[in-house]
């Protein structure tokens, strides 16, 4: 029987067979290695500056990293109970979830439906947008609760667009992203028009919490794992959230909060080092920034996030084609390589995942996607470049995690991570773990065990569903605070309970304190 692949399998992420590579290409590979490699000393310097910038974002003066207080106060105990809705408004879909938190610690049941977000809505009117979302919620409730008489269901709304919040049940949209451009919404609170659309249709829902997906990731992960301290997104963009003590947030001093009270901070750390003081930007990073819609902003994100990895790769290859002494892809039509953002992070993933010694999958991918036939030496350079870009992203990402650990003095903890780069990019987890080891000077794991295999002092693990379960949990925690009379950061505490099951003083909804 004939087998398809007779090529010897290639080891993942190794230097490859450099013996057959012409000297000029070898020199180029060496130059790229020098350009994209971030050594231990540089990682430590970046982490130290990152730590300072996190603190600056919490100061009265503020800094590049916004460090937004979310008014989600404290971690869940795992004993929350009740039924909650979650709404996740993404760029392509609208997801509605109903989450039931049973008596068992850290357990949940979920039913969910997805609704397509019509393209024309993204540039339509505000009334059309909120009306469509309210229609979807109404449809969901009618389908899952046909003929039932319902109390008002508390809703956690994952609104992952840049918004400022003075209260958890309020959010002023700073600017649209993800292809939305609806007039009359930016600079305004999104909650009143959303609630008006629900009211108009008689939908029995009360918005309890407006959250960001990163905060949701932190809370959902902490609900099922009590060691979770940080939530991260490594995807098209990048971000992190963690719990800070109110006493360590000078910009909230005027509110006279209990200094020991914890509040989740949505870092929005893609903006780290907008001043270009520390990150090792290459000429290619500078081009990406210059040609982006908002030059000078989101500097860290542009070096680590999935949206930019393929573009970095494309810019380097184009440069090497045009440099006289290298001239890769000589005599070939590279017009398809000249199209900005035509390669995404999955293109690099596929190259790094190519299991064959002669990189035949990479050869086929280039020919099919770009119409370029690569020589064996060119394929070796391509593979090495993908490794360098992917590795730099993981190592720089680890600096942010390490900075929060050092700021909070976490010697051991779990970090819940989500996003396409974390979940799908080859070796991202292992490269990040290696960088943490170098930055935090680990020589052994927990309980003196060897590092790796779940024994690293700080471990980055796949997160729970932040925009669904996380949003519902934050709604539960917010209602529980209202029941306890702790109403800081809640605009309408009375309205929040009105008509819900939690309004009944005998209600076990959002579990009482006695259930330890």
């Amino acid at each position: 029987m004939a087998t398809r692949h007779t090529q010897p399998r290639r080891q993942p992420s190794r230097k490859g067979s450099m013996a057959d590579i012409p000297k000029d290409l070898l020199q180029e590979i060496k130059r790229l290695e020098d350009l994209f490699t971030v050594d231990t000393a540089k990682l430590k310097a970046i982490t130290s500056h990152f730590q300072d910038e996190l603190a600056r974002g919490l100061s009265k003066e503020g800094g590049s990293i916004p460090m937004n207080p979310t008014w989600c106060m404290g971690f869940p105990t795992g004993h929350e109970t009740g039924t909650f809705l979650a709404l996740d408004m993404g760029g392509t879909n609208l997801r509605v979830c109903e989450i039931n938190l049973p008596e068992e610690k850290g357990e949940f049941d979920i039913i969910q439906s997805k609704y397509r977000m019509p393209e024309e809505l993204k540039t339509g009117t505000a009334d059309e947008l909120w009306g469509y979302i309210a229609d979807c919620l109404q449809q969901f409730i009618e389908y899952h609760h046909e003929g039932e008489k319902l109390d008002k269901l508390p809703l956690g709304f994952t609104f992952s667009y840049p918004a400022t919040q003075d209260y958890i049940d309020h959010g002023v949209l700073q600017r649209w992203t993800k292809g939305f451009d609806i007039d009359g919404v930016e600079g305004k609170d999104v909650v009143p028009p959303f609630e008006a659309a629900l009211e108009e249709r008689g939908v029995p829902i009360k918005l309890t919490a407006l959250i960001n997906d990163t905060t949701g990731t932190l809370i959902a992960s902490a609900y099922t794992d009590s060691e979770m301290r940080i939530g991260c997104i490594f995807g098209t963009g990048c971000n992190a959230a963690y719990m800070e003590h109110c006493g360590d947030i000078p910009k909230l001093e005027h509110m006279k909060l209990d200094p020991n009270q914890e509040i989740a901070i949505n870092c929005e750390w893609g903006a780290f080092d907008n001043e270009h003081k520390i990150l090792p930007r290459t000429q290619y990073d500078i081009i990406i920034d210059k040609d982006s819609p908002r030059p000078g902003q989101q500097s860290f994100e542009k070096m680590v996030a999935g949206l930019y990895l393929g573009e970095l790769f494309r810019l380097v290859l184009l440069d090497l084609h045009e440099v006289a002494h290298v001239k890769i892809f000589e005599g070939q039509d590279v017009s398809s390589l000249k199209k900005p953002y035509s390669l995404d992070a999955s293109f690099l993933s596929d190259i790094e995942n190519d299991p064959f010694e002669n990189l035949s999958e990479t050869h086929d991918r280039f020919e099919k996607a770009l119409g370029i036939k690569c020589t064996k030496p060119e394929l070796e350079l391509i593979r090495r470049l993908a490794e360098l870009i992917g590795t730099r992203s993981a190592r720089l990402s680890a600096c942010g995690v390490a900075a929060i650990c050092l700021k909070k003095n976490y010697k051991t903890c779990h970090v819940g991570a989500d996003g396409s780069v974390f979940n799908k990019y080859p070796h991202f987890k292992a490269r990040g773990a290696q960088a943490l080891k170098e930055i935090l000077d680990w020589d052994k794991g927990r309980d003196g065990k060897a590092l790796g295999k779940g024994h690293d002092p700080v471990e980055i693990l796949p997160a729970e569903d932040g925009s669904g379960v996380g949003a519902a949990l934050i709604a539960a925690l917010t209602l529980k605070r209202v029941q306890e009379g702790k109403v800081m950061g809640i605009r309408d505490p009375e309205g929040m309970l009105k008509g819900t099951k939690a309004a009944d003083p005998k209600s076990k909804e959002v579990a009482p304190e006695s259930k330890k």
Side-chain angles (χ1 to χ4, degrees), residues 57-119:
L58 295 171
S59 71
K60 286 176 182 162
E61 301 69 41
S64 288
I65 306 179
M67 303 296 279
N68 296 328
T70 63
W71 304 105
C72 166
M73 315 296 261
F75 284 111
T77 60
H79 291 296
E80 291 70 19
T81 60
T83 300
F84 304 88
L85 293 181
L87 168 66
D88 180 12
M89 178 181 154
T92 44
N93 291 313
L94 199 64
R95 183 167 68 118
V96 181
C97 312
E98 183 176 304
I99 287 121
N100 179 49
L101 306 175
E103 299 279 326
E104 295 78 22
K105 184 176 193 285
E107 294 291 322
F108 59 85
D109 302 308
I110 181 167
I111 50 174
Q112 56 184 324
S113 298
K114 274 188 179 172
Y115 304 89
R116 197 178 65 80
M117 184 65 86
E119 276 305 311

Side-chain angles (χ1 to χ4, degrees), residues 1 17 29 38 150 253 292 495 506:
M1 188 179 97
S17 355
I29 289 171
V38 188
L150 291 176
E253 244 170 44
S292 72
K506 295 193 286 292

Side-chain angles (χ1 to χ4, degrees), residues 135-193:
D135 287 341
C136 292
L137 285 163
Q138 186 170 31
Q139 211 179 315
F140 180 88
I141 284 185
E142 283 172 357
Y143 182 77
H144 293 291
H145 297 279
E146 200 182 345
E148 291 178 42
K149 171 128 183 50
L150 291 176
D151 293 305
K152 273 199 167 182
L153 287 166
L155 172 81
F157 184 177
T158 302
F159 186 75
S160 296
Y161 302 84
T164 48
Q165 287 184 275
D166 295 326
Y167 308 95
I168 198 160
D169 48 346
H170 142 112
V172 174
L173 176 69
Q174 290 164 303
R175 62 176 190 278
W176 281 119
T177 55
K178 303 179 191 176
F180 280 89
D181 192 11
I182 298 170
D183 279 346
V185 185
E186 290 183 339
K188 296 204 175 101
D189 184 357
V190 298
V191 175

Side-chain angles (χ1 to χ4, degrees), residues 314-334:
R314 185 191 73 82
L315 287 170
V316 177
L317 291 182
L318 203 53
D319 185 38
L320 295 185
H321 170 73
E322 287 164 0
V323 173
H325 70 279
V326 186
K327 276 231 161 89
I328 59 170
F329 316 140
E330 197 166 6
Q332 297 200 57
D333 174 10
V334 296

Side-chain angles (χ1 to χ4, degrees), residues 39 53 161 204 217 238 259 298 320 333 340 377 403 502:
D39 64 17
E53 288 297 296
Y161 302 84
T217 296
C238 67
Q298 300 298 96
L320 295 185
D333 174 10

Side-chain angles (χ1 to χ4, degrees), residues 70-74 168 261 476-490 510:
T70 63
W71 304 105
C72 166
M73 315 296 261
I168 198 160
Q261 171 65 52
L477 292 172
T478 306
L479 272 183
K480 185 171 166 187
R481 282 208 289 129
V482 176
Q483 286 174 321
E484 292 167 355
K486 298 175 181 167
V487 296
M488 59 279 194
I490 299 172
V510 293

Side-chain angles (χ1 to χ4, degrees), residues 161-238:
Y161 302 84
T164 48
Q165 287 184 275
D166 295 326
Y167 308 95
I168 198 160
D169 48 346
H170 142 112
V172 174
L173 176 69
Q174 290 164 303
R175 62 176 190 278
W176 281 119
T177 55
K178 303 179 191 176
F180 280 89
D181 192 11
I182 298 170
D183 279 346
V185 185
E186 290 183 339
K188 296 204 175 101
D189 184 357
V190 298
V191 175
F194 170 65
E195 292 209 305
L198 292 173
E199 196 74 25
E200 205 180 297
R201 289 159 178 77
V203 185
I205 285 175
K206 177 66 193 162
L207 184 129
T208 308
L210 189 76
I211 74 149
N212 176 281
D213 58 347
T214 316
T215 315
T217 296
L218 169 68
I219 298 300
S221 302
Y223 178 71
T224 57
D225 176 354
S226 56
E227 271 202 74
M228 285 287 173
R229 290 292 174 272
I230 303 169
C232 289
I233 305 285
F234 304 117
T236 311
C238 67

